[in-house]
Structure formats: structure tokens, C-alpha cells
Amino acid sequence: MGLSSDPLFQNRVIAFCCVHESGNMDYARQMFDTIPHPSVFIWNTMIKGYSRINCPVNGVSMYLLMLANNVDPDRFTFPFLLKGFTRDMALQHGKVLLSHVVKHGFDSNLFVQKAFIHMFSLCGLVDLAHKVFDMGDAWEVVTWNIMLSGYNRVKQFEKSKKLFMEMQKRGVSPNSVTLVLMLSACSKLMDLDGGKHIYKYIKEGIVESNLILENSLIDMFAACGEMDAAQGVFDNMKTRDVISWTSIVSGFANIGQIDSARKYFDRMPERDYVSWTAMIDGYLKMNRFTEALTLFREMQMSKVKPDEFTMVSILTACAHLGALELGEWIRTYIDKNSIKNDTFVGNALIDMYFKCGNVGKATKLFKEMQQKDKFTWTAMIVGLANNGHGEEALAMFSNMIEASVAPDEITYIGVLCACTHAGMVEKGKRFFTCMTIEHGIKPNVTHYGCMVDLLGRAGHLEEAHEVIVNMPVKPNSIVWGSLLGACRVHKNVQLAEMAAKRILELEPENGAVYVLLCNIYAACKRWENLRQVRTMMMERGIKKTPGCSLMEMNGNVYEFVAGDQSHPQSKEIYAKLENMMQDLIQSGYSPDTSEVFLDLGEEDKETSLYRHSEKLAIAYALISSGPGITIRIVKNLRMCVDCHHMAKLVSKAYNRELIVRDKTRFHHFRHGSCSCNNFW
């Protein structure tokens, strides 16, 4: 029709291609290239089109070409250009474009200023956004909200509060979005007074309440532990959604009222993956790991697909229970269901493998991970150290430093533990000094506890005591406990009594201290002192924590308590235990009753030893699993001397690897020896 060179027709075709959803930017560019002298309107339309299809690089190229053709931008150019910017684009071009705005005289144009504020805020460059914000005046509430949202996005909640106060001073009336943003900031800061101040706007009818606002109120009150107030808002809501219910569930779970959380969870009319994960996390916080796994199975039956955060929670439960089979299944589940397998999931898997005693798979996964952060390296260092691979842990630390990844406080705990378990006293001292000098990390009470443990295990008890006396921070029961544990091994009764006294001043009800002191008296044959401590325990109502061992077998987690006969196969277990002991006696086993301090005859003491929870678990494993299968046990207390000796003999007599994670460390029993070198 001869219209292809008609400027009006060209403008319309380019505008359609750039603005309409079904438009084609390649065709727009072909048409654009036929125009000898495009107007600024056409240049802007092309830039707008590239923003629409999220091609900001092409938009910048078009802008630079525009300048090269001596066409000056107008007040529409920059808003169109900035709309599709990513954070990287903002970092690369933001400041330069801002200088162009000043050069071309648009720095006082509110339309242009708002575009820069919006772009910088969305990209996390809030300080730059604030500079532009300060150029303007009489901003309407939407622009204030953009700034508040920007500060919230980069977790600078105090600055959000400060900006909101400035907004109030200038007489700008907040809207519901403003209040939601401020309630979110107060929630993160756990600022109850600030949250109540925001609540006044709703109670006094200044801002009309809505579902999102009410949900934000529940979240704020719950975050501040004010569950009565949160419940009050919840009960008065005309309509509720899944977010309302989840906020209440999370609130009760966070303050430890897990049963109340479960009541609300069970009443929920609908549940999404967030609400399931919130409930699972609640069980994790209360160390109710078995219930967390049971709930995950219910979640699967409900056909709700978990996300990567759910997976991290479940892997954490598997790690604490030593449930390697289930952890392996979770890894396969993640791959099969295309769940995001990011660094957080990778770190959780590494932690799970280490806590289940599988050093090989943890190391293999570490090598396969494309992205590693400081938590990945730290998980490796701590895991290797706890599993008795001190040299490898220190080598991993050297690799971390070479990779220019800065260690943190937790990393150095792993490093010091590695030195402790490997008996490297001088190296440990050097690392303790380097921590502050080279990395500026001020030692905390845990680091001092590691040093006490390091020196105590090596038999330097007086030096360990000096470390405690000269600590710049007040020693806690764990620090004194490290010294007490070393005194048990090296049979230093005098120092043990002093350490025990200090712990009981801090924690009068700490039953483990009385037991450890009794063990020391028993080992040193100080029977009168032992009786005195036993009498004190009875007078104060202190009871010895019953030994408990967890074991995973065929995807199920079983719990064994010392002397317990509640297991359905109890008769078979005790029969196997009897046979096992007969086999071991032939291999040279003799019951070590040195740490049995009950007022019993020698024969009764031996019977008491035979009923320890890890022995029951081992007996069950031998009747329930085939030859060569590794036996994995998680114990709530430190292994006694007799159980440790017995486990070594089992590993040799039955040709089995036993991995026991007790309260103190890992024990890998192979071919009649233990990875701890008999020091634990």
C-alpha cells in the first residue's frame, strides 16, 4: 500500500511491537533501522519495548546509540530505561545515568526522580535511592512506601523506622501498605512498642483494616511473644486465610508452646508448604525430631509439595536422630521432585552425613558442590573434627583460607576441636592466637571451653585451670565441665571437686555433675565421698538421667532406654544380648564396673551394665540387619567405659563397623579399635 515510509505508520507499527504483549521486538528493530532520523519518541518507545521484554542490556545499547546520534533524552527516556534494570545493571550504570540526568536538566523532575528511587530501592541500593529521594520534596505516600520497602528489603529495619518518623513529621498520611511495611520492620526488630504505635492507626480508624494488615499485626505480636494479643486479632478477624493461621501456628511454636501450635495447625481449613514447614520447625526447636519426621510423612500424604526450606528442616531432624537411610531418601526425593538444591540444602546434607558418621559421603558431596559459602567450609571442618579426622579438618581450614573465604567464630570452634581430638596442643594454642590477630575474631566462652578441653585432654590440668581463672568472660558450666571431664580421665580428685562445686553454683540441678563426680570417686575408690554425693543427690531430689540410644533400622527410628523391656522384640533382644556377652567373654571381655556407683554387689553391677541402652541397640542391630551392615547409634549421654570396651570387641568379633555418637563426640569402632583412641 506504499505506507512503509510513512512516519505516522512507522510510529504506530513500532509502538505496537514495543508496547503490545503480542508485539515483536525484532520486527520493531527492523522497522526502526529503516528510519533515517528517528524522533526522541521513537527512541523512547524502543527503549520501553526492551524493558518490557526484560532486555535492559539492549535498552542501554539503544540509549547509547541515541546519544551517539546526537538525540537528547527527554523526561520519558530514563523512566523507560530504568524499568527493566537488574541489580547488576543498576550497579554498572546507575550512577552514570544519574549524572546524565543532572547534565540534561532532569534532576528536579519528579517523574525521573521517582524512577531512580524505584530502581535503586528494588536493586538494594537504598542509600543511593535516599540521595535521590532527598533531591525531591512533597513526595506522595507511594514514594515513601518505595523507600520503606527498600530498607526492609536489605534488612535495615531501624532506618525504616527512622524514615517513617520523618514521614510523620512532614504530615504525610500513611496508607495500609505503609503500615504493613512498618509492622514487618517492628516484627523483625521485635519492637513491641513500635508495633503498638502502628496498631493505633488501625484501632482509631485512621487507616481501614484489611486482611493483609491483620495478618501483619498477628505476625508482629507473635514475633514479640505477645500471643494473647496475636490471638485477640486472630479471633476478631472476619475472614482468615492460610497466612493468618500459619502466623498463629508459628507464633506458638516460637515461644515453645508446641502443643498449642499443633491444635491450631490441626484446625486449619487449608495448609500450604509454609504452614507445614512452620509446624515441622516448631518440633525441631523443641528437639522433638521423631514427631517432625512423622509430620513430614503426613505432609506427603496430603499431596503438598515441600520446598527447599522444608527439606533443610527434615535433613536437620535426620541429622539429630542419626537417620542416615531416611536422609539418603530425602536426597533422592529432592532430585526426583526437582526441588531447588541450593547451597542451604547442600550444607544441610553435609551436616546430616557427618552427624550420621558418614565422612566419605559428606566429603564427596562437598567436592561436587558448585557453590560453597563459609557455612559449607565450616560444616566440613566441624564435621571432620567431630568424627576424629583432626588432620583433615585442619587441611580443610587451610584450603578455606586459600579460597579467600573468611572464617567466623564457628569455624574456629571446629579448628580448635580438631586440635583437641588429635591431641595437637601447640597447634591449638597457635590457632587460638591467630583467631584474633589474623581474623579479628574475639574469643568467646565457647572458644575458651575448647582450650580448656584441649589442655585437659592432654593432661595439662593446671594450665587448663589457669585459662579458666584468667578468662576475660565469666566461665559457664560447659567450660567447668570440660575441666571436670579431664579430671575424670586423669583421676585428679581435688581439681574435680573444685570444678564440680563451680558448676553446681551455676546449675544446682545439673544431675550429670553429681554422676561424673561419683564416677571419679568410684574410679579412685573413694567410697565415703561417693556415698556423701549419693546422699546429697537423694536429699536434693537429683536423679540420674536415664541412658537413651536411638537407632535407625529399615527407615524407622527405634529408641532404647537402659533396662527397658517395652520393645516388641524385647525377649529376642535380651536373649541376643546374653549370647553376645558369652561370645565376647571368650574374646577376653571382662565387665568394667568402675563407673557403676550404685550400692550393689559385683554381680548386680554387671547385670546393670548389661542393660545399658547402647548394648540393647547393638543386640537389636545384630538380629535385625545382615552381615557387614554398619551399626549407627545416637546416645544421649557419654558412653561408659564398659560399653566402649564392649563395642570395640563387637566390631572385631562380628566384623561390623559401629558408629556411636554420644553426648561428647563420635566413636568409629572398627576391627577392635576406636577412632577416639580411648580418650573421650
Side-chain angles (χ1 to χ4, degrees), residues 220-237:
M220 183 275 297
F221 281 128
C224 296
E226 294 287 315
M227 286 312 297
D228 287 343
Q231 220 172 344
V233 175
F234 181 84
D235 291 341
N236 289 319
M237 290 174 76

Side-chain angles (χ1 to χ4, degrees), residues 98-114:
L98 193 55
S99 68
H100 285 205
V101 166
V102 175
K103 178 184 172 183
H104 291 284
F106 297 114
D107 51 311
S108 58
N109 184 283
L110 293 180
F111 189 49
V112 174
Q113 287 173 347
K114 190 187 287 188

Side-chain angles (χ1 to χ4, degrees), residues 613-668:
S613 63
E614 55 266 63
K615 288 190 178 83
L616 297 175
I618 290 169
Y620 179 68
L622 290 174
I623 62 175
S624 303
S625 61
I629 300 295
T630 300
I631 298 171
R632 301 172 194 277
I633 296 168
V634 178
K635 174 85 187 279
N636 68 327
L637 305 173
R638 179 185 60 83
M639 282 188 89
C640 75
V641 173
D642 184 72
C643 286
H644 192 269
H645 179 50
M646 181 273 304
K648 285 196 293 183
L649 292 172
V650 167
S651 71
K652 187 175 182 179
Y654 294 91
N655 195 25
R656 292 282 195 113
E657 180 182 357
L658 281 77
I659 301 173
V660 180
R661 186 178 95 210
D662 73 6
K663 191 178 181 181
T664 311
R665 61 168 301 154
F666 277 85
H667 302 268
H668 293 254

Side-chain angles (χ1 to χ4, degrees), residues 158 161 182-200 203 216-230 233:
E158 285 290 355
K161 278 181 63 181
M182 288 315 302
L183 285 169
S184 176
C186 292
S187 173
K188 297 297 185 292
L189 293 168
M190 289 190 278
D191 177 11
L192 183 60
D193 290 336
K196 285 179 176 177
H197 175 69
I198 302 300
Y199 191 20
K200 281 183 182 177
K203 284 200 295 186
S216 299
L217 270 171
I218 294 170
D219 180 62
M220 183 275 297
F221 281 128
C224 296
E226 294 287 315
M227 286 312 297
D228 287 343
V233 175

